[in-house]
Amino acid sequence: MNSTILQYDVVVIGGGPAGLAAAVKAKEYGLNVLLLDENDYLGGILPQCIHPGFGIHYFREELTGPEFSHRFMQRVKDLKIDYFVKARVLEIKNYSDLEKIVVFTSPEGAFEVWTKAIIYATGARERHAFEIGIVGDRVAGIYTAGEAQTLMDIYGVMPGKEVVIVGSGDVGLIMARRFALEGAKVKAVIELMPYPGGLARNVMILRDFSIPLYLSHKVVEVRGKKRVEKVKVMKVDENLREIPGTEFWIKCDTMIISAGLIPQVKLLTGIGVEIDPATGGPVVNDLLETTVPGIFVAGNSLLINDLVDYVAEQGELAAYGAKLFIENGGIPAEKWIKLEKGNNIRLAVPHYLSGKRDVYIYARVKKPMENVVLNFPEIDKKIRLPVVRPAEMLRIRLRKEEIAKAKDKITMEVIQQ
Amino acid sequence: MTVEVYKFTCIICPLSCDIEVEVENGEIKEIKGYTCPRGKEWAIEEITNPKRVVMSVIKVKNGNMPTVSVKTTKPIPKTKIPELMKLLAEIEVEAPIKVGQIILENPLGLDTKIVATREVEKV
């Protein structure tokens, strides 16, 4: 197969909010940028997230998902950034630090792009029914929340009338509202954990529409002939083990799985990028560079975020990283200070800090705690917080002077006040 | 004399304050837990006349997408939402559509506009 050879400074893979922000910023830095997306349109999942709540930090006003992405797409047009949609990236090759190859196909043909840096912003995929231990019939009427959202909010198709939602994260709760608004009966939201998974303001949706929430419960089985007819629910104990004798059935024609997102890193693992098991995304430094020099990552392929504003922020930081990398022929740092996870910290990104720049730490706790201190013992930094919850990502700024006080590591821990 | 305590989470901003409102004989006696005046005002309204911004999609003819997403420019009373949703399900618009384009002015006599939130190109 003959492929067309292209040459760019930076290739951004993924046209969602992280990729759009990265491409715009890189272009503003004067870099020659190519943006690739495999969908029919740019914007990632934002065009289907029709609810408000986007951009409060970034634009200082509340926008819907389509409006948020529209602003970035306008910038892409104004700056005349080259992009392909319906572009499927088949392979990334790391030829040398400043010579990387991105192989992709699109309706226009097959292409091989030579580039100095890559910003990887492919987002996440949804966990599906088989991953969360639901057995039973393979019938119509089982969707992930994102699939149902695409059907309703892009194609205008109603996926069902009587709905059980598995998972009380933001996506599940928002889809509960969407179904209720469109006249479907949302019969229950089933949550495995003893607390709701979503932001408090989204949990209020349940009250708005009188939707029952079952905490410490799981769906274990689905039954139906051609379409879902009922699902079996069981209570779980504190170790998340099913309690025999607690099972009951809920009649429904649709089951929506909203059981969390997993960073898409498939093309990266192939070239030896180190993955953090806690985030599911790559191990990165404070410019969001992976363990393969010149490959940067941002957004939900780095770690699962709860605000699009942080995703865009990461895209811009990755673009800055790519600029420094290209200017210097690599990211210089005499030593890297490791960010260690202490008490009640489930994940923390970035993993390595240079002390040469201020950094935002994105972190999540393991379990909810009240009246806590976020403690960084090696640099004598303490932040008081009224409450920490697993559903709400912490975003903490560390100044370069503070980071530079550490020798080789900084521990982040949550302690009771 | 009846005293009722309403507990809810403020949805004005992502801070998500837990607000408690004490209502005695239909009158608001005490509001606790808010951290800004907007939150307090919202809590009062949440008891007396709860309102929501409504979003949906509307069918589009001759567009590159089969629907356009829309929202109300102002929150509307919660009790009016089902009626508005029915109205939105019945209408169809013609591409092209720009972001911010007014689809309906004062629907059902509500003091709000229905505006497009997505761009749809003509095909």
Side-chain angles (χ1 to χ4, degrees):
Chain A
M1 189 166 67
N2 288 325
S3 34
T4 311
I5 309 283
L6 305 173
Q7 199 148 14
Y8 283 89
D9 295 330
V10 187
V11 175
V12 179
I13 304 173
L20 288 170
V24 165
K25 202 52 152 188
K27 186 79 176 185
E28 284 173 354
Y29 286 134
L31 300 171
N32 192 13
V33 186
L34 177 67
L35 176 63
L36 301 176
D37 192 278
E38 67 177 3
N39 215 335
D40 293 354
Y41 43 84
L42 289 180
I45 56 151
L46 287 175
Q48 72 192 51
C49 297
I50 63 167
H51 52 283
F54 296 89
I56 297 161
H57 299 277
Y58 193 91
F59 289 114
R60 308 245 165 238
E61 60 180 300
E62 194 168 1
L63 304 170
T64 64
E67 290 169 314
F68 186 97
S69 60
H70 179 72
R71 294 204 180 181
F72 277 102
M73 286 185 300
Q74 210 56 52
R75 294 290 295 147
V76 168
K77 273 188 198 161
D78 292 347
L79 292 166
K80 297 188 170 62
I81 294 172
D82 294 345
Y83 72 87
F84 283 85
V85 288
K86 301 178 188 176
R88 178 164 283 267
V89 176
L90 305 175
E91 199 184 359
I92 295 171
K93 292 182 215 171
N94 191 39
Y95 195 71
S96 75
D97 276 6
L98 279 164
E99 294 166 295
K100 298 173 198 310
I101 303 163
V102 177
V103 180
F104 75 96
T105 59
S106 86
E108 284 92 346
F111 297 87
E112 205 179 282
V113 198
W114 286 71
T115 183
K116 293 170 186 158
I118 292 171
I119 298 173
Y120 196 83
T122 53
R125 72 164 177 85
E126 299 177 279
R127 293 214 296 162
H128 51 74
F130 300 136
E131 277 175 288
I132 56 171
I134 299 176
V135 299
D137 298 322
R138 292 192 176 198
V139 286
I142 304 170
Y143 303 93
T144 66
E147 284 168 351
Q149 197 177 47
T150 310
L151 281 172
M152 290 168 87
D153 294 338
I154 301 287
Y155 298 102
V157 174
M158 221 20 211
K161 294 192 183 105
E162 295 196 305
V163 187
V164 168
I165 293 179
V166 183
S168 67
D170 292 315
V171 186
L173 294 169
I174 281 159
M175 286 316 289
R177 172 172 60 192
R178 252 328 259 146
F179 272 106
L181 274 174
E182 289 294 346
K185 173 85 187 146
V186 183
K187 302 196 86 172
V189 173
I190 313 291
E191 172 58 52
L192 181 66
M193 303 307 285
Y195 44 81
L199 299 174
R201 63 181 180 145
N202 287 332
V203 177
M204 238 191 61
I205 289 166
L206 299 171
R207 205 187 60 139
D208 268 6
F209 295 99
S210 310
I211 298 167
L213 169 67
Y214 293 87
L215 296 172
S216 296
H217 278 75
K218 73 186 279 196
V219 172
V220 291
E221 197 177 322
V222 55
R223 286 291 166 211
K225 290 216 170 63
K226 284 185 173 165
R227 188 172 176 106
V228 176
E229 286 165 18
K230 56 183 180 176
V231 297
K232 185 167 143 187
V233 182
M234 277 180 98
K235 202 171 171 19
V236 298
D237 64 17
E238 58 271 24
N239 299 314
L240 310 180
R241 278 185 307 234
E242 295 154 25
I243 304 171
T246 60
E247 56 264 43
F248 60 96
W249 291 89
I250 300 176
K251 281 191 172 173
C252 59
D253 61 24
T254 306
M255 177 172 70
I256 301 296
I257 309 293
S258 173
L261 302 171
I262 295 174
Q264 300 241 48
V265 289
K266 211 173 137 195
L267 290 170
L268 293 182
T269 48
I271 51 164
V273 166
E274 190 186 338
I275 301 297
D276 174 358
T279 59
V283 170
V284 293
N285 64 25
D286 58 7
L287 291 165
L288 308 186
E289 185 187 29
T290 66
T291 50
V292 173
I295 296 185
F296 299 81
V297 62
N300 279 1
S301 49
L302 171 63
L303 83 165
I304 304 306
N305 289 268
D306 29 69
L307 294 180
V308 73
D309 307 81
Y310 300 161
V311 166
E313 177 177 273
Q314 289 155 17
E316 291 181 349
L317 177 59
Y320 178 66
K323 168 186 135 75
L324 285 190
F325 177 84
I326 292 166
E327 279 172 4
N328 300 298
I331 300 295
E334 282 138 38
K335 56 164 190 177
W336 290 105
I337 296 156
K338 194 168 192 302
L339 183 68
E340 300 260 10
K341 293 175 285 182
N343 184 53
N344 199 19
I345 297 291
R346 183 159 70 84
L347 57 88
V349 169
H351 306 77
Y352 292 97
L353 315 175
S354 64
K356 286 182 179 154
R357 54 191 76 89
D358 297 357
V359 64
Y360 282 113
I361 308 288
Y362 305 98
R364 277 186 205 278
V365 297
K366 290 178 186 161
K367 56 180 201 303
M369 272 169 86
E370 284 181 19
N371 295 319
V372 295
V373 175
L374 206 54
N375 191 33
F376 299 88
E378 289 89 354
I379 57 170
D380 240 356
K381 189 180 173 86
K382 285 183 169 60
I383 300 163
R384 280 171 203 281
L385 292 171
V387 65
V388 288
R389 301 185 185 101
E392 284 163 38
M393 196 162 81
L394 298 165
R395 175 173 166 272
I396 305 295
R397 187 191 179 121
L398 295 184
R399 292 180 193 288
K400 58 182 176 191
E401 302 80 30
E402 294 173 326
I403 299 164
K405 279 193 229 166
K407 283 199 180 72
D408 54 355
K409 65 165 187 173
I410 294 177
T411 310
M412 180 178 191
E413 59 184 12
V414 180
I415 49 178
Q416 204 71 55
Q417 221 176 98
Chain B
M1 208 169 74
T2 53
V3 179
E4 282 174 286
V5 179
Y6 294 87
K7 289 180 183 177
F8 37 61
T9 309
C10 185
I11 54 170
I12 295 292
C13 83
L15 266 183
S16 305
C17 297
D18 287 318
I19 306 185
E20 233 179 79
V21 185
E22 215 179 278
V23 181
E24 198 181 303
N25 294 329
E27 234 177 88
I28 294 170
K29 284 287 164 201
E30 207 190 344
I31 308 177
K32 285 184 287 194
Y34 62 89
T35 45
C36 77
R38 284 174 72 206
K40 185 181 177 182
E41 205 176 292
W42 175 82
I44 294 168
E45 199 172 76
E46 193 57 23
I47 298 290
T48 54
N49 179 21
K51 288 178 177 177
R52 296 286 181 269
V53 166
V54 176
M55 58 281 159
S56 187
V57 292
I58 285 174
K59 281 183 230 134
V60 175
K61 252 190 257 176
N62 306 322
N64 67 339
M65 277 185 171
T67 65
V68 61
S69 51
V70 295
K71 66 174 183 185
T72 59
T73 49
K74 274 190 212 168
I76 65 157
K78 247 167 85 172
T79 50
K80 291 284 183 188
I81 293 176
E83 210 180 329
L84 181 67
M85 289 300 292
K86 278 207 185 95
L87 175 67
L88 296 181
E90 284 161 11
I91 61 174
E92 195 170 15
V93 289
E94 181 91 32
I97 295 152
K98 294 275 172 216
V99 173
Q101 185 177 324
I102 298 166
I103 306 288
L104 287 175
E105 192 108 36
N106 298 328
L108 308 171
L110 299 164
D111 178 28
T112 187
K113 293 183 186 81
I114 304 293
V115 294
T117 58
R118 199 156 64 203
E119 191 173 276
V120 182
E121 285 166 30
K122 195 178 172 68
V123 289

